[in-house]
Amino acid sequence: MPPETSARPLDLICFGRAAAELYVAFVNNGPVHVTGGTANLRGSVVSTPAASYDVSATMNFAGATLSGRFNGNNTGTVAVPSGWTLTGDTTLNIGGNGVVWTGGDLNTGAYTLTNLGPLTITPGNVGFYGAI
């Protein structure tokens, strides 16, 4: 099954205690707005240079596989709580509060992770395999 492709805005708003659990693989060509609750991205996310992420709530890359360029601004929380794997060269350009890596392993494989914004790493809870 090919990944879903989105060029239209994707607005993620979660109310109450439940989180939005997104297991779908998708190619993002447009804006993503996370404005309430928690959005857990658990599938494969390919982000093009046209994509943008505006987070004022919580967006987790929860065991997700990432590839591409992630541009955006974070006034809430963008976190990696349970590891991540690169499936292509990946650039994180998340301003504001940046990205917080709180748990799990990063496996870059044969790919490169480039970070252009704030990246906070919680010592003792994370592992790294590959090259930055």
Side-chain angles (χ1 to χ4, degrees):
M1 175 188 238
E4 295 293 322
T5 300
S6 171
R8 296 175 30 196
L10 176 60
D11 294 310
L12 301 172
I13 305 169
C14 306
F15 298 100
R17 294 183 182 188
E21 303 290 339
L22 303 172
Y23 288 91
V24 64
F26 71 97
V27 176
N28 185 27
N29 291 314
V32 172
H33 307 284
V34 181
T35 57
T38 300
N40 291 321
L41 305 180
R42 296 185 181 277
S44 172
V45 182
V46 177
S47 190
T48 70
S52 64
Y53 299 83
D54 182 25
V55 179
S56 58
T58 300
M59 181 174 78
N60 292 321
F61 294 113
T65 61
L66 306 178
S67 178
R69 187 171 182 94
F70 293 79
N71 296 310
N73 189 48
N74 172 23
T75 59
T77 301
V78 174
V80 180
S82 56
W84 44 345
T85 299
L86 302 187
T87 56
D89 290 337
T90 303
T91 299
L92 298 177
N93 187 20
I94 306 292
N97 296 336
V99 177
V100 179
W101 179 13
T102 60
D105 296 334
L106 166 60
N107 184 349
T108 63
Y111 304 105
T112 300
L113 174 65
T114 302
N115 183 59
L116 301 175
L119 175 62
T120 303
I121 301 171
T122 303
N125 298 320
V126 300
F128 175 75
Y129 304 95
I132 283 188

